[in-house]
Amino acid sequence: MSTHTVLSAATRVIPVFEYRRERWRNGMGWTREILRVPDNEDWQVRLSIAEIEQDAAFSAFPGIERELVLLRGEGLRLRFADGAVHTLSPPHDRLRFAGEAQVSGELVDGLTHDFNLMWRRDALDAALLHRPLVGSMFFFTEPAVAWAIHLLAGQATFEGEGGMPPLEAGDTAWLAAGARKRFALHGGGELLAIRLSPR
């Protein structure tokens, strides 16, 4: 399946109650999977929320680039095998790192929820933006550009998109690559916006 085909997976809203909760690959935590494209083991992009309840080693994902954003909790310390240490602090600290890196997470003070963006680095480029939503925000899809929008807080609707339900806090929208199109997201709150394109 070509990268262009992957990014043209159907536009839709994924409500928080549809996220799939599953054990980590190494059994040390839980993940709520939001989206994987394509929807099989050979995915090229995957969005999820990790529920970290104890200090634990992260699963390795060779060939994958990752970006982690602290959603809830007092903080997460990431300790890498090469000696590097990075602490994700509230409200929404984040870090990008290689999926094959040996890293363990240490809780600063109690459990955390962490947004986890993963993509296959030889196939895709990804840019993650953290933005307030005040009034309207516009997202443009193109034959080689798709977007994923995760609403951190507030409420929002896609104006003129009758088939798409409104977004509540915690929901995610996937805007497929394809014909050039403008999506107008209207509301109030805070979001993560991920722009994906073929490498």
Side-chain angles (χ1 to χ4, degrees):
M1 182 180 281
S2 77
T3 302
H4 284 77
T5 310
V6 163
L7 294 180
S8 61
T11 292
R12 65 197 187 278
V13 167
I14 305 130
V16 66
F17 60 80
E18 284 185 13
Y19 298 171
R20 295 184 289 210
R21 194 165 186 260
E22 55 191 39
R23 267 281 177 210
W24 285 6
R25 215 183 244 189
N26 66 12
M28 299 290 283
W30 289 94
T31 289
R32 282 179 291 148
E33 186 178 83
I34 299 170
L35 172 77
R36 66 167 78 180
V37 185
D39 190 10
N40 58 43
E41 287 304 310
D42 196 28
W43 49 265
Q44 292 191 14
V45 60
R46 181 174 183 248
L47 308 180
S48 62
I49 295 170
E51 301 173 6
I52 304 179
E53 301 164 335
Q54 59 184 324
D55 296 354
F58 281 29
S59 305
F61 288 91
I64 299 294
E65 203 69 15
R66 301 180 70 159
E67 193 155 349
L68 209 59
V69 183
L70 183 71
L71 295 182
R72 288 177 53 194
E74 296 304 309
L76 179 67
R77 189 175 299 108
L78 299 173
R79 201 175 289 279
F80 291 83
D82 65 4
V85 178
H86 185 95
T87 301
L88 298 180
S89 301
H92 296 298
D93 225 356
R94 62 186 184 174
L95 183 68
R96 181 171 169 169
F97 58 97
E100 49 275 286
Q102 282 183 276
V103 57
S104 59
E106 299 171 358
L107 298 170
V108 171
D109 182 16
L111 71 90
T112 66
H113 290 183
D114 304 272
F115 185 88
N116 191 13
L117 163 66
M118 294 196 273
W119 68 98
R120 201 166 293 286
R121 74 169 68 92
D122 62 356
L124 294 174
D125 282 323
L128 187 151
L129 312 169
H130 175 210
R131 295 286 186 269
L133 175 62
V134 182
S136 292
M137 189 179 271
F138 300 99
F139 299 94
F140 296 86
T141 56
E142 298 176 30
V145 177
W147 287 88
I149 315 296
H150 180 74
L151 194 65
L152 294 168
Q155 292 179 313
T157 54
F158 285 100
E159 291 177 350
E161 303 292 330
M164 292 178 74
L167 289 175
E168 303 288 340
D171 294 348
T172 303
W174 170 261
L175 309 179
R180 192 169 274 109
K181 183 172 178 178
R182 184 184 83 156
F183 289 87
L185 185 64
H186 184 78
E190 198 176 358
L191 55 78
L192 299 176
I194 298 145
R195 183 184 189 273
L196 294 152
S197 56
R199 194 166 177 83

